Amino acid sequence: MNGKVHVMRKLLENITNRKREYGLALLEISLSILLSLTITAGIMILMGYPSELSLAAYTVIFAKGFDNASYLFSRASPLILTALAFLYPALTGMFNIGGEGQLYVGAIASLVTALYTGSLLLALIAGGLAGAALGMVLALLRVYRNVNEVVAAIMINWALFNISMFVIATYLTDPSIPHLTKQVPDSAKLPVVDLGIIRLNTSFLVALASAIGGAYLFYRTKLGFAMRVSGLNPIASTIAGFENKKLVLTSFALGGGMAGLGGSILVLGIVHRLDTMMMSLYGYGFLGIGASLLGRNNPVGVVVSSIFLSGLLIGGQWIETRLGLPHQVADLIIGIIVISLAIPFAYHYMKTFFRVRRK
């Protein structure tokens, strides 16, 4: 009887602690949004804009950014996957900022495969494998040569940006439209599903399934548990019998595969062709880092944060057309909102990370 009472008390304590954590997280998010709106309003006033214009800018961002669900979910799809690309290695204590380059190789591999085979499945697999292979390169340099993954990723990203432009402009352009590549054949395009109230691009379903699969892996499998232990305390992980090097390699392969898949669905489901200046690809990998931090490095949170961030970006475009504000003002508003929301989690994450590493 006493044992049952003890178990019930523990369950009640866990529920109470979780409610307290959720309450604190909601309070942090609310205060962060309020602070960011106040800061941006103050900066706009200092720049010479009337206070009424800042209120109008907020209204346009949140009204126009979220009014078209079909476009919003399509825009968020590759962002969800590049956020997962950062999230996987972060669990093992690594920082994968190479999602940008992994997105490039995934997109190009998918486009080439689609053009030559016409197969949607093969194109998706090719994109994921290309991203995973590039992720493994970063992990191998880190694990076996002790090359900082951040420095390596920065150099590889810029190299791949220029190499990708060369490959597109030299081998993949459409002769009738020289600044664009050949279009993905219909047989290799991700379809759009008409649900009555919304036309949903299946690229979002692919991204959503990947996030759900990531949540299952992290919290319901031995591999996910080992990755989390390795990231928080490598010494304890080694004592427990986990191989940290293999876990790092696995996390980068999974992360790179997610970014490569993000490039795949972008090409196969949304733009259907690439431009020679890479404008349709550029930036998703870097934005994924912010989306992951906004989502508290949680796969389900990443879906919500990616949709939210995509809405802000769409609304920012409307600021330019509706209010005549320069795009730098829209970028300023969005940047401050994102930074303000990400700082609390980044602070808690880094504090826990360094405290455990010191021990």
Side-chain angles (χ1 to χ4, degrees), residues 167-178:
V167 170
I168 290 172
T170 306
Y171 301 107
L172 300 175
T173 53
D174 187 339
S176 60
I177 315 175

Side-chain angles (χ1 to χ4, degrees), residues 229 233-242 244:
V229 172
N233 195 327
I235 296 175
S237 175
T238 303
I239 294 172
F242 300 133
N244 292 331

Side-chain angles (χ1 to χ4, degrees), residues 152-164:
I154 291 172
M155 294 189 293
I156 290 175
N157 282 343
W158 283 113
L160 283 173
F161 179 79
N162 291 285
I163 291 171
S164 299

Side-chain angles (χ1 to χ4, degrees), residues 264-316:
S264 294
I265 64 171
L266 188 61
V267 171
L268 303 175
I270 301 173
V271 296
H272 299 140
R273 62 171 74 199
L274 301 176
D275 59 280
T276 54
M277 298 304 294
M278 302 278 286
M279 297 304 294
S280 56
L281 295 178
Y282 182 77
Y284 276 103
F286 299 128
L287 285 171
I289 298 172
S292 182
L293 292 174
L294 280 179
R296 301 300 195 255
N297 270 7
N298 180 289
V300 178
V302 156
V303 175
V304 178
S305 65
S306 297
I307 293 172
F308 176 72
L309 183 54
S310 297
L312 292 181
L313 294 171
I314 296 168

